[in-house]
């Protein structure tokens, strides 16, 4: 009796086809053909509206010796599966529409295909769905470009899907856009039950366990979607609407989408997926977190500062980190060949801008998760000596997936270090620290830093060698025009109107700032 299974095997029954995860029973076939090698998946998870840098940035970290920042705590258990990239992005500012395009296109001026689509063309041709484009939020009509991160070969935005039921139909059922017909469908598992029983009789002990986990995951996803449907209002005849929006809990909706994303990758229904946790410029209201202000308003925490606003922004940012953790945990739970689904994937998580109020494009939060089947060496923090264009990262990811191009997004330089090779790491140069005062103008040389107090959003410090700290209070105009966010964590000479009295040194109006080793003020928005 032939007990071998092809990698493309399905469970069948009553007009239904359901793909399977990788099983040991397929291994002989996989080892015997180069075309059936275990696939590496590419996943992108986009966080909108930048970040609060003081809670995100890692300070004084080394490649193998670093502490995760406070905002990274939700996914701390996955530290060994991460490459945290620092000094990504460069001088200048980023509009929201530039930020979203930069995330997968490297440079906001790039009008070619995004890297997820280039990778999908390379590795996704044999899958049921070449690539998934998912979102949490509807179109931002004031600036539609803010709503997309995936672009086709002509540079045109690829529509996203926000309904998990449609995504499930697309992946595991014949498309059924009619809600009434969808309700008439019986459970997918019930329809392939006989074939599943037959396969279980042929499978070995480990395969039986994997199949049980897989079928349980499908069942749980179906149950969750049924639960979401029950929460829809019964006031309307859904049959007369085209997928009406549902006032369901966003947290549940996102978790369901992440479940489907992981399930699609595990079953090899797709190998490429992108998911926007919100539009850049997101106006989402996180009422399920007890927040009644729009995310975009709160993201401008400098201009709209209050203790309540900054606290609410932290809750939203923390929620985004929890969703990243949810995805990694789910992917790690699925066994895939000699490892987990995460081991055989590359997950790209981050934003397209850094400081959410000032819209800076330096130190853009960027993390790679998963080993990519051996393509990446994880458990490391890579802070580069020089600022790196996001296009450098994207060019390197294309190379990892066997796509050989001379340049991408205005970059022809690969990003070093992802596979464990040497890279030019950031090392702070020696410099003197001093302060002086002349006719009401205080000038100080040292490393500019954010305040440790979250309520001192508009206050910065430069620490001196004698234990004193120069306190610097700024207006948003000074902060923006001099691009103070660019200089955070670096050595500068800063001057402004202020006072020096014994141990108290205060600058209340910043007039100039000069980097000792980097670029100078005067950058234009980009």
């Amino acid at each position: 009796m032939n007990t071998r299974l092809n990698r493309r095997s399905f469970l069948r029954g009553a007009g239904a086809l359901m793909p399977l995860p990788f099983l040991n029973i397929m291994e002989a076939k996989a080892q015997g053909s180069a075309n059936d090698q275990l696939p590496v998946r590419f996943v992108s998870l986009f966080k909108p509206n930048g970040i609060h840098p003081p809670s995100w940035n890692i300070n004084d970290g080394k490649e193998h010796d670093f502490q995760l920042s406070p905002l990274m705590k939700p996914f701390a258990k996955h530290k060994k599966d991460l490459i945290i990239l620092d000094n990504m992005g460069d001088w200048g500012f980023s509009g929201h529409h530039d930020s979203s395009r930069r995330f997968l296109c490297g440079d906001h001026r790039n009008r070619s295909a995004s890297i997820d689509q280039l990778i999908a063309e390379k590795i996704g041709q044999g899958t049921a769905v070449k690539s998934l484009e998912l979102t949490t939020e509807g179109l931002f009509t004031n600036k539609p470009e803010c709503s997309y991160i995936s672009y086709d070969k002509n540079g045109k935005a690829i529509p996203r899907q926000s309904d998990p039921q449609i995504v499930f139909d697309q992946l595991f059922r014949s498309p059924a856009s009619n809600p009434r017909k969808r309700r008439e469908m019986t459970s997918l598992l019930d329809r392939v039950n006989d074939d599943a029983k037959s396969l279980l009789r042929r499978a070995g002990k480990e395969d039986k366990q994997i199949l049980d986990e897989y079928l349980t995951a499908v069942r749980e996803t179906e149950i969750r979607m049924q639960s979401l449907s029950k929460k829809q209002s019964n006031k309307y005849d859904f049959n007369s609407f085209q997928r009406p929006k549902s006032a369901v809990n966003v947290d549940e909706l996102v978790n369901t989408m992440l479940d489907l994303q992981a399930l699609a990758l595990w079953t090899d229904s797709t190998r490429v997926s992108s998911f926007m946790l919100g539009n850049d410029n997101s106006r989402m209201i996180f009422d399920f977190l007890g927040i009644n202000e729009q995310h975009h308003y709160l993201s401008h925490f400098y201009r709209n500062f209050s203790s309540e606003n900054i606290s609410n922004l932290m809750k939203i940012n923390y929620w985004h980190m929890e969703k990243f953790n949810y995805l990694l945990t789910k992917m790690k739970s699925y066994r895939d060949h000699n490892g987990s689904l995460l081991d055989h994937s590359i997950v790209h998580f981050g934003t397209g801008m850094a400081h959410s109020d000032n819209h800076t494009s330096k130190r853009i939060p960027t993390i790679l998760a998963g080993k990519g089947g051996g393509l990446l060496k994880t458990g490391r923090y890579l802070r580069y000596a020089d600022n790196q264009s996001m296009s450098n990262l994207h060019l390197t990811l294309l190379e990892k997936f066997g796509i050989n191009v001379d340049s991408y997004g205005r970059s022809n330089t690969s990003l070093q270090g992802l596979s464990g090779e040497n890279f030019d790491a950031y090392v702070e140069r020696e410099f003197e620290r001093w302060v002086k005062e002349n006719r009401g103008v205080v000038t100080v040389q040292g490393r500019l830093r954010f305040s440790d107090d979250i309520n001192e959003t508009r206050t910065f410090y430069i620490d001196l060698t004698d234990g004193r700290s120069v306190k610097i209070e700024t207006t948003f105009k000074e902060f923006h025009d001099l691009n103070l966010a660019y200089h955070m964590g670096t050595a500068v000479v800063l001057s402004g109107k202020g006072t020096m009295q014994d141990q108290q040194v205060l600058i209340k109006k910043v007039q100039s700032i000069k980097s000792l080793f980097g670029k100078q003020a005067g950058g234009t928005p980009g």
Side-chain angles (χ1 to χ4, degrees):
M1 183 173 91
N2 182 12
T3 59
R4 301 273 201 284
L5 278 183
N6 188 285
R7 180 67 184 94
R8 294 288 177 200
S9 296
F10 293 84
L11 292 178
R12 304 169 183 270
L17 289 176
M18 192 165 75
L20 292 166
F22 190 93
L23 303 173
N24 292 327
I25 201 171
M26 303 170 180
E27 187 152 15
K29 173 74 176 177
Q31 291 176 345
S33 170
N35 293 328
D36 283 321
Q37 290 179 350
L38 194 69
V40 176
R41 294 81 162 186
F42 180 66
V43 185
S44 300
L45 186 63
F46 176 76
K47 181 204 175 310
N49 289 348
I51 206 73
H52 176 257
S55 60
W56 173 265
N57 292 343
I58 292 176
N59 297 315
D60 303 321
K62 301 293 187 287
E63 180 180 1
H64 297 287
D65 182 18
F66 62 97
Q67 297 294 321
L68 296 180
S69 66
L71 198 51
M72 298 177 185
K73 287 182 179 179
F75 51 83
K77 66 181 180 182
H78 301 296
K79 183 178 178 181
K80 292 183 179 180
D81 299 296
L82 308 176
I83 301 177
I84 300 173
L85 303 175
D86 203 347
N87 272 358
M88 300 303 299
D90 205 344
W91 179 264
F93 308 104
S94 176
H96 285 287
H97 59 292
D98 296 336
S99 170
S100 55
R101 185 177 282 267
R102 179 184 291 111
F103 183 65
L104 290 179
C105 291
D107 187 284
H108 65 275
R109 295 162 291 190
N110 182 9
R111 291 300 182 264
S112 64
S114 51
I115 61 168
D116 62 319
Q117 295 307 299
L118 293 174
I119 293 171
E121 285 293 330
K122 178 72 175 182
I123 69 173
Q125 293 294 345
T127 58
V129 178
K130 188 168 67 173
S131 65
L132 279 177
E133 292 77 37
L134 309 175
T135 188
T136 306
E137 200 170 5
L139 189 70
F140 182 61
T141 54
N142 289 353
K143 199 77 167 177
E145 301 97 313
C146 297
S147 304
Y148 301 99
I149 55 176
S150 296
Y151 293 85
D152 65 19
K153 63 183 180 181
N154 298 315
K156 295 186 180 298
I158 297 177
R160 310 93 29 87
Q161 182 54 256
S162 59
D163 185 338
Q165 293 186 323
I166 296 178
V167 175
F168 188 81
D169 290 347
Q170 180 186 11
L171 290 167
F172 305 121
R173 294 177 175 170
S174 298
S177 59
N178 189 309
R180 184 179 62 185
K181 290 182 179 179
R182 189 172 63 202
R183 287 194 299 269
E184 292 171 355
M185 286 182 172
T186 58
S187 167
L188 177 61
L189 287 183
D190 292 339
R191 296 161 70 197
V192 299
N193 186 50
D194 290 341
D195 201 24
K197 287 179 180 178
S198 175
L199 180 56
L200 282 169
R201 286 194 294 269
R202 299 160 55 194
K205 181 178 179 181
E206 186 176 359
D207 280 349
K208 286 180 179 178
Q209 188 173 352
I210 292 174
L211 276 169
D212 183 64
E213 292 175 0
Y214 169 58
L215 297 173
T216 299
V218 174
R219 178 74 74 187
E220 288 176 348
T221 303
E222 286 191 322
I223 291 173
R224 176 173 293 189
M225 288 196 302
Q226 290 168 5
S227 175
L228 290 177
S229 294
K230 290 177 182 178
K231 294 179 180 179
Q232 293 178 335
S233 171
N234 292 321
K235 295 180 181 178
Y236 307 101
D237 178 10
F238 283 178
N239 197 41
S240 65
F241 290 85
Q242 290 295 316
R243 302 294 185 185
K245 293 183 179 180
S246 308
V248 298
N249 184 295
V250 173
D251 189 61
E252 285 187 45
L253 184 66
V254 170
N255 287 348
T256 301
M257 285 295 230
L258 293 172
D259 287 342
L260 287 171
Q261 192 175 33
L263 194 59
L265 296 164
W266 191 37
T267 60
D268 209 30
S269 300
T270 191
R271 295 176 183 175
V272 178
S273 179
S274 64
F275 187 14
M276 298 183 74
L277 292 174
N279 300 326
D280 219 291
N281 210 333
S282 173
R283 305 307 170 97
M284 193 181 298
I285 295 177
F286 289 75
D287 51 356
F288 63 95
L289 295 177
I291 299 170
N292 297 316
E293 291 285 0
Q294 293 180 352
H295 181 199
H296 178 254
Y297 173 84
L298 295 171
S299 72
H300 287 280
F301 61 89
Y302 196 105
R303 281 172 273 191
N304 302 321
F305 175 75
S306 74
S307 296
E308 181 181 10
N309 284 351
I310 197 71
S311 175
N312 285 337
L313 177 63
M314 291 301 99
K315 289 179 183 178
I316 294 172
N317 286 341
Y318 205 81
W319 180 83
H320 287 138
M321 304 305 139
E322 289 176 335
K323 297 307 105 180
F324 180 45
N325 170 68
Y326 185 95
L327 176 62
L328 298 186
T329 301
K330 180 65 67 172
M331 294 181 68
K332 195 181 287 187
S333 73
Y334 287 151
R335 286 185 294 171
D336 193 58
H337 199 55
N338 297 318
S340 69
L341 176 60
L342 183 60
D343 290 332
H344 297 106
S345 302
I346 294 177
V347 181
H348 170 35
F349 172 71
T351 69
M353 68 170 71
H355 197 288
S356 64
D357 195 337
N358 202 38
H359 290 193
T360 52
S361 52
K362 178 197 174 186
R363 297 190 79 175
I364 296 173
T366 307
I367 294 180
L368 298 179
K371 296 179 176 59
L375 295 174
L376 303 182
K377 186 176 180 180
T378 58
R380 299 184 299 141
Y381 167 65
L382 309 185
R383 183 174 182 184
Y384 294 92
D386 298 317
N387 299 327
Q388 300 291 317
S389 166
M390 291 295 292
S391 297
N392 295 357
L393 168 62
H394 294 157
L395 181 60
T396 306
L397 289 174
L398 292 176
E399 293 169 354
K400 297 294 183 187
F401 282 93
I403 303 169
N404 297 315
V405 292
D406 294 330
S407 63
Y408 183 76
R410 303 198 175 199
S411 171
N412 56 11
T413 304
S414 298
L415 189 68
Q416 300 302 306
L418 300 188
S419 299
E421 70 273 20
N422 292 331
F423 70 100
D424 191 7
Y426 175 85
V427 178
E428 187 170 77
R429 305 182 203 180
E430 295 291 330
F431 61 90
E432 294 183 353
R433 302 165 191 257
W434 48 260
V435 63
K436 61 185 180 182
E437 186 267 342
N438 182 29
R439 297 182 180 180
V441 174
V442 176
T443 302
V444 57
Q445 178 170 294
R447 186 197 301 112
L448 184 66
R449 67 172 176 85
F450 292 102
S451 171
D452 294 330
D453 184 348
I454 197 172
N455 288 311
E456 285 191 328
T457 294
R458 300 169 179 170
T459 302
F460 310 96
Y461 290 90
I462 293 178
D463 300 321
L464 304 174
T465 53
D466 61 8
R468 291 182 298 166
S469 295
V470 178
K471 186 176 183 179
I472 303 158
E473 297 178 349
T474 65
T475 64
F476 179 77
K477 178 174 175 56
E478 296 161 14
F479 179 75
H480 182 76
D481 290 352
L482 297 174
N483 200 357
L484 296 189
Y486 172 83
H487 297 285
M488 288 299 159
T490 64
V492 299
V493 177
L494 183 147
S495 295
K497 293 182 179 180
T499 58
M500 272 182 66
Q501 296 179 352
D502 299 327
Q503 297 298 309
Q504 302 293 326
V505 185
L506 174 65
I507 295 177
K508 299 199 71 171
K509 182 176 177 58
V510 180
Q511 297 174 321
S512 67
I513 186 169
K514 178 181 179 181
S515 173
L516 292 187
F517 310 118
K519 296 183 180 181
Q520 310 307 322
T524 57

